[in-house]
Amino acid sequence: MLALSRFLVLALVFTLGLVLVSSSWAGPVKVFILCGQSNMEGKGSVKHLEQLLADPATAKPYHHLRNEKGWVERDDVFIKYNDDRGQGKLGLGYGTPSDRFGPELEFGHVVGNAFNEKVLIIKCAWGGRALAVRFRPPSSGKGDYTQRDRETKELVPLPDETYGEAYRDTIRIVKDSLVNIDKLVPDYNPNEGYELSGFVFFQGFNDIIDAKKMEEYGPNLANLVRDVRRDLNAPHLPFVIGELGQQGVEPEKRYAEKHFKFRQIQADVAQLPEFNGTVRFVKTSPFVVSNEDSFDGGYHYYGRADTFFQIGHAFGAAMVEMAQSSKKKSPSMR
């Protein structure tokens, strides 16, 4: 009889444990979209990350990324990268090239720790894409840019289909992912569904290097926020604008005016009255380390793992704040 009682107690404890585990992930899947060009693709060096972990003086912030079995893959955060760059549990392996990582890594840990629900990150990123051209939102209309004809070497108008190509691909990938979310999130419960919880846009290099593209960046960025919300049927979707901070807090003197102007354009869009409380400008320049080892020449935040880690953390922290406050509005749930 005593043995039976002990068995019943153990069975009850085990059952309660299952209930607690399952309930900890109850509710709609939180879906976050990370979008941009090469910095969002991810250029953080895994080699540098290994160096940071090997040094007791720098290892502490990164301990959660690796355990005795190797690099950690989360059981509650999942990712899909473009059409063909991979999908699965969040961990390393979702940068470009494959020995790199982007903001998605620490972003996923921040939001995964903040919410009880499972998380899906949909990452849409391609290098060399300007907001004025390939990311151009529909509300901005067709642009009037040119390219050099390969045969005649003369300047000719860009083909109409070039405008908005990356924007359309982003919307398509997001919608396709949501239609097939049961293939991306294990044990997906259609009765609980999903919730579009945030969009991060980290882009700008191909616009800052062209005066004309830079001049129209503000209106294009504001239209991007509006159009993404409209096309995803998420009118209050929290939106993070990642600062183009490649040059750091104090850019080179010859580039400083241009960089400060561009950053102000990005910040001003976040301050538009219509975006009050739902769009956040997040600085990345404070995380630039320019006087130590570089892992990508002078490009992409020097390819430093510590920089991309901190950028991802900052994006995640801002998104958590907005996503939590947006519950008072009308979240987009399916």
Side-chain angles (χ1 to χ4, degrees):
M1 189 68 176
L2 182 59
L4 179 60
S5 298
R6 288 177 176 172
F7 173 80
L8 291 174
V9 170
L10 290 172
L12 179 60
V13 170
F14 179 73
T15 302
L16 287 173
L18 289 178
V19 170
L20 287 173
V21 169
S22 61
S23 64
S24 68
W25 288 339
V29 174
K30 298 279 189 182
V31 179
F32 295 93
I33 302 151
L34 305 187
C35 180
Q37 54 181 128
S38 55
N39 287 317
M40 183 60 89
E41 280 186 315
K43 306 300 180 182
S45 168
V46 174
K47 176 183 177 181
H48 185 215
L49 183 59
E50 290 173 338
Q51 292 177 5
L52 292 169
L53 277 163
D55 185 346
T58 58
K60 187 175 180 180
Y62 314 104
H63 278 161
H64 61 286
L65 300 179
R66 192 167 64 185
N67 57 28
E68 64 279 359
K69 296 180 180 178
W71 296 111
V72 168
E73 292 185 338
R74 291 193 64 128
D75 292 322
D76 58 341
V77 183
F78 306 90
I79 183 170
K80 176 178 173 58
Y81 180 13
N82 287 356
D83 287 311
D84 57 355
R85 294 286 180 149
Q87 64 187 55
K89 295 180 178 181
L90 178 72
L92 290 179
Y94 296 100
T96 301
S98 58
D99 63 346
R100 304 276 168 160
F101 68 93
E104 78 287 336
L105 183 61
E106 180 61 7
F107 177 93
H109 280 277
V110 171
V111 297
N113 293 340
F115 300 109
N116 291 328
E117 301 88 345
K118 290 182 179 180
V119 169
L120 172 64
I121 295 171
I122 304 172
K123 179 171 162 178
C124 305
W126 304 270
R129 304 294 193 268
L131 179 57
V133 182
R134 295 185 188 272
F135 271 116
R136 194 177 187 90
S139 292
S140 290
K142 190 181 76 171
D144 59 348
Y145 292 90
T146 59
Q147 65 181 5
R148 198 167 293 280
D149 186 278
R150 291 184 178 180
E151 295 181 359
T152 67
K153 307 304 179 184
E154 295 180 356
L155 291 176
V156 296
L158 282 173
D160 289 356
E161 63 270 19
T162 305
Y163 294 104
E165 177 187 56
Y167 177 89
R168 293 189 297 274
D169 280 342
T170 297
I171 299 300
R172 174 187 56 77
I173 289 170
V174 171
K175 289 184 175 180
D176 287 350
S177 299
L178 295 178
V179 168
N180 297 288
I181 194 170
D182 59 320
K183 297 179 177 64
L184 301 174
V185 179
D187 301 318
Y188 173 73
N189 185 343
N191 293 322
E192 293 176 337
Y194 63 82
E195 176 184 283
L196 285 172
S197 299
F199 192 106
V200 180
F201 192 61
F202 189 29
Q203 183 276 346
F205 185 79
N206 277 67
D207 294 272
I208 197 174
I209 61 176
D210 183 302
K212 182 179 176 182
K213 293 173 182 175
M214 181 171 169
E215 196 62 35
E216 63 170 308
Y217 195 86
N220 286 338
L221 184 56
N223 282 337
L224 181 81
V225 177
R226 299 181 189 112
D227 289 357
V228 163
R229 289 173 166 180
R230 179 199 65 210
D231 291 341
L232 295 181
N233 191 28
H236 303 290
L237 184 65
F239 211 104
V240 162
I241 298 169
E243 177 190 46
L244 183 65
Q246 168 69 26
Q247 285 272 319
V249 175
E250 294 294 336
E252 290 181 50
K253 198 169 185 179
R254 57 179 172 163
Y255 300 127
E257 183 179 357
K258 178 187 292 187
H259 278 268
F260 286 136
K261 179 180 178 180
F262 193 86
R263 294 171 188 179
Q264 192 60 55
I265 290 171
Q266 292 181 304
D268 287 347
V269 170
Q271 293 301 314
L272 289 174
E274 66 183 287
F275 298 151
N276 181 39
T278 65
V279 177
R280 184 80 62 86
F281 172 65
V282 176
K283 287 183 174 292
T284 66
S285 54
F287 309 130
V288 173
V289 179
S290 59
N291 58 350
E292 296 184 25
D293 291 344
S294 173
F295 296 83
D296 196 7
Y299 300 98
H300 306 118
Y301 293 83
Y302 303 101
R304 291 183 61 89
D306 47 4
T307 299
F308 275 91
F309 176 91
Q310 291 178 83
I311 288 173
H313 190 96
F315 289 169
M319 190 58 74
V320 167
E321 291 178 11
M322 286 194 295
Q324 290 174 338
S325 65
S326 72
K327 292 179 181 180
K328 301 175 183 178
K329 299 183 183 293
S330 302
S332 179
M333 298 178 62
R334 304 292 190 275

